[in-house]
């Protein structure tokens, strides 16, 4: 796909109810321009899949969609086979709808945990804390290093786009010169999503969450929490967010050893 084609795939994702970000396409495409595949029939786009490679060892599957009126004819299966062949030597992750979990198991994927999307309009005010710092060029290197703890492979190209202030608000919690957490909020088709949101402890996550949510006050806010992190789901419900739907995080190959207790919001369902 071209970057414009990724925009088409995100429009399809919106119709599926996945609520992607308004300006996601450019940052997604920058990760791996060859990792977004478009299926066509008689010259017309009918389906898509993203099979993004991170370095030499990890990949992530997302945006797996076939037009509703053409499902059940094998087009999706063909897209899947071509995409998975591209990632054949890597550990591969995905966030799939629960209904497809058995199908993914047949392709060698193993369930790791659920992610639960919480959403609602928040009444909370902006957090006032001297450790809160907007992420600018001077802090980017430290944030990239901190992010490395929470993702199975380096993703600098993605984050260098994701952290730009033109389309998203990114905040870090900095204590004694060290990054202790960071988060990003971005406008979506419906409201805004916070993701990622990583923090060393529950207090830091609470401060980041309130700062990010307050920046879009009056709009719906969504957060995709890994269910094993009870502090994350407690945070969401404490501020009045309600569960909307869930996905199954699954891996083909060894499950990465990630610090889920410090992951309060995953980055995206499309790219991990």
């Amino acid at each position: 796909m071209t970057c414009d084609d990724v925009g088409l795939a995100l429009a399809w994702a919106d119709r599926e109810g996945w609520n992607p970000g308004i300006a996601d396409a450019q940052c997604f495409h920058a990760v791996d321009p060859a990792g977004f595949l478009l299926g066509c029939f008689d010259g017309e786009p009918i389906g898509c899949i993203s099979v993004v490679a991170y370095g030499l060892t990890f990949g992530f599957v997302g945006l797996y969609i076939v037009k509703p009126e053409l499902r059940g004819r094998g087009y999706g299966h063909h897209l899947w086979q071509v995409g998975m062949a591209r990632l054949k030597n890597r550990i591969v992750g995905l966030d799939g709808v629960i209904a497809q979990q058995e199908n993914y198991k047949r392709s060698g994927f193993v369930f790791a945990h659920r992610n639960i999307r919480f959403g609602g309009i928040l009444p909370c005010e902006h957090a006032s804390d001297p450790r809160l710092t907007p992420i600018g060029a001077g802090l980017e290197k430290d944030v990239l290093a901190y992010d490395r703890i929470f993702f199975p492979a380096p993703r600098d190209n993605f984050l260098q786009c994701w952290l730009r202030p033109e389309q998203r608000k990114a905040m870090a919690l900095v204590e004694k010169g060290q990054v202790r957490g960071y988060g990003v909020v971005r406008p979506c088709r419906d409201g805004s999503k916070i993701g990622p949101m990583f923090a060393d402890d529950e207090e830091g996550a609470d401060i980041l969450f309130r700062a990010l949510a307050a920046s879009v006050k009056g709009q719906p806010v969504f957060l995709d929490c890994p269910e094993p992190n009870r502090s994350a789901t407690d945070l969401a419900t404490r501020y009045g967010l309600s569960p909307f739907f869930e996905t199954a995080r699954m891996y083909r190959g060894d499950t990465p050893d990630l610090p889920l207790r410090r992951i309060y919001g995953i980055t995206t369902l499309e790219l991990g």
Side-chain angles (χ1 to χ4, degrees):
M1 298 187 202
T2 64
C3 190
D4 286 344
D5 291 331
V6 176
L8 172 64
L10 292 171
W12 288 350
D14 185 41
R15 289 200 292 269
E16 295 293 321
W18 300 346
N19 194 27
I22 291 172
D24 285 357
Q26 182 181 1
C27 294
F28 283 8
H29 194 254
V31 178
D32 181 7
F36 296 85
L37 308 181
L38 191 66
C40 297
F41 184 76
D42 284 344
E44 293 295 323
I46 65 166
C48 59
I49 191 170
S50 59
V51 281
V52 171
Y54 291 96
L56 300 175
T57 60
F58 187 65
F60 204 87
V61 177
L63 291 173
Y64 182 33
I65 305 168
V66 173
K67 285 186 173 181
E69 66 271 21
L70 296 174
R71 292 172 186 172
R73 303 186 187 185
Y75 301 134
H77 181 63
H78 181 63
L79 271 170
W80 176 265
Q81 289 181 312
V82 173
M84 292 306 297
R86 185 172 189 269
L87 300 177
K88 62 182 179 180
N89 294 321
R90 292 175 168 83
I91 295 170
V92 182
L94 60 81
D95 284 315
V97 296
I98 299 298
Q100 293 296 322
Q101 186 174 333
E102 292 304 315
N103 289 334
Y104 294 134
K105 284 181 178 179
R106 286 193 284 272
S107 293
F109 284 79
V110 176
F111 177 84
H113 60 81
R114 295 194 303 164
N115 292 316
I116 303 175
R117 174 166 295 173
F118 290 86
I121 298 176
L122 298 177
C124 62
E125 297 295 327
H126 190 286
S128 178
D129 192 290
R131 295 171 293 176
L132 281 171
T133 308
I135 298 175
L139 194 56
E140 184 179 281
K141 181 178 178 182
D142 292 334
V143 170
L144 295 183
Y146 183 78
D147 183 84
R148 187 67 186 85
I149 302 167
F150 301 95
F151 202 75
R155 52 175 182 171
D156 292 7
N157 286 349
F158 170 74
L159 288 176
Q160 285 162 355
C161 180
W162 203 247
L163 296 174
R164 290 176 188 165
E166 302 87 45
Q167 299 290 344
R168 299 165 194 85
K169 184 177 182 66
M171 300 289 293
L173 201 66
V174 182
E175 186 174 358
K176 297 180 180 179
Q178 299 293 316
V179 174
R180 301 299 185 189
Y182 89 95
V184 179
V185 63
R186 74 194 196 278
C188 295
R189 269 64 169 183
D190 176 23
S192 298
K193 280 186 195 171
I194 294 175
M197 192 170 79
F198 307 140
D200 288 355
D201 54 42
E202 189 172 355
E203 179 198 13
D206 186 277
I207 293 168
L208 280 168
F209 179 76
R210 286 188 286 126
L212 295 168
S215 72
V216 293
K217 189 175 180 180
Q219 301 178 29
V221 173
F222 300 93
L223 181 70
D224 293 319
C225 302
E227 188 186 36
N229 185 353
R230 182 63 181 271
S231 294
T233 57
D234 285 350
L235 182 150
T237 56
R238 183 164 67 247
Y239 288 106
L241 300 188
S242 300
F244 271 66
F245 71 90
E246 63 185 64
T247 59
R249 172 61 64 91
M250 305 180 75
Y251 294 100
R252 186 196 67 182
D254 295 336
T255 297
D257 184 16
L258 301 178
L260 291 179
R261 66 178 181 83
R262 297 163 63 193
I263 297 176
Y264 288 80
I266 67 168
T267 309
T268 74
L269 297 182
E270 295 84 8
L271 266 69

